[in-house]
Amino acid sequence: SSIDMINERFIRMFRLGLLEVLRTTPRVNPSRVQIIKFGDYLKMLKPPLAVNTIRLHPLRGFSVIIIDPNVVFSSLDSFFGGFGKGVGDLPSGRLFTPTETRIIKIILDVFFRSLTEAWAPLMPLECEHISSEINPQFAQIADENDLVVLSRFEAEATASGGRGFIDLVYPYATLKPMRDLLRNRVQADGSVHARAASEAL
């Protein structure tokens, strides 16, 4: 889909950005973009997580970026010159420390910059951070039965193999008005493969 094409560009920028600030490049792989009910997505998650509600102007509504604690801890570890180890099970109410919160902010800054660049060929996008919590149930970006578009990026610390994920979730209704724009841009590219991809969104 067009979103897959945006995600491929995003990953290239995101890896470069992380290398700059964390002095390490985790392997970041996309899994397939999924369209699922928001309620089903929430059932897949186990707090604590770094749950960040965001606005992507001029898209309507709110989206969410959810960062697995494993990504936070392995980034923190490599930032301070360790081997990027992950973490075991955390109690569901555990809050992030100020240092961990700082690392989350660094990751989000790189994420926003990379996402803006990835969307740039289609349209200018401006990312605004709205709120942070540890329980995804509080991220009210859609009703339980509403469809959302889930892009999951699997991150793996190269030194230690610590794994985690970063999810970007858009409400389906947010991207719907974009479909024609995406399709027209792709048709302007003229490639049959790209055109077929845009039909999938």
Side-chain angles (χ1 to χ4, degrees), residues 1-2 5 183 186-187 189-199:
S1 72
S2 318
M5 287 155 65
R183 204 163 280 164
V186 167
Q187 279 166 352
D189 292 347
S191 87
V192 178
H193 170 71
R195 196 156 54 245
S198 83
E199 309 289 305

Side-chain angles (χ1 to χ4, degrees), residues 35-53:
I35 296 179
I36 57 173
K37 282 186 182 168
F38 190 51
D40 292 341
Y41 169 65
L42 291 176
K43 285 184 195 128
M44 294 160 45
L45 302 172
K46 183 171 170 282
L49 295 155
V51 180
N52 301 280
T53 302

Side-chain angles (χ1 to χ4, degrees), residues 41-68:
Y41 169 65
L42 291 176
K43 285 184 195 128
M44 294 160 45
L45 302 172
K46 183 171 170 282
L49 295 155
V51 180
N52 301 280
T53 302
I54 60 168
R55 285 222 47 185
L56 299 169
H57 304 280
L59 302 182
R60 288 205 309 261
F62 295 96
S63 299
V64 74
I65 298 170
I66 295 189
I67 308 173
D68 178 350

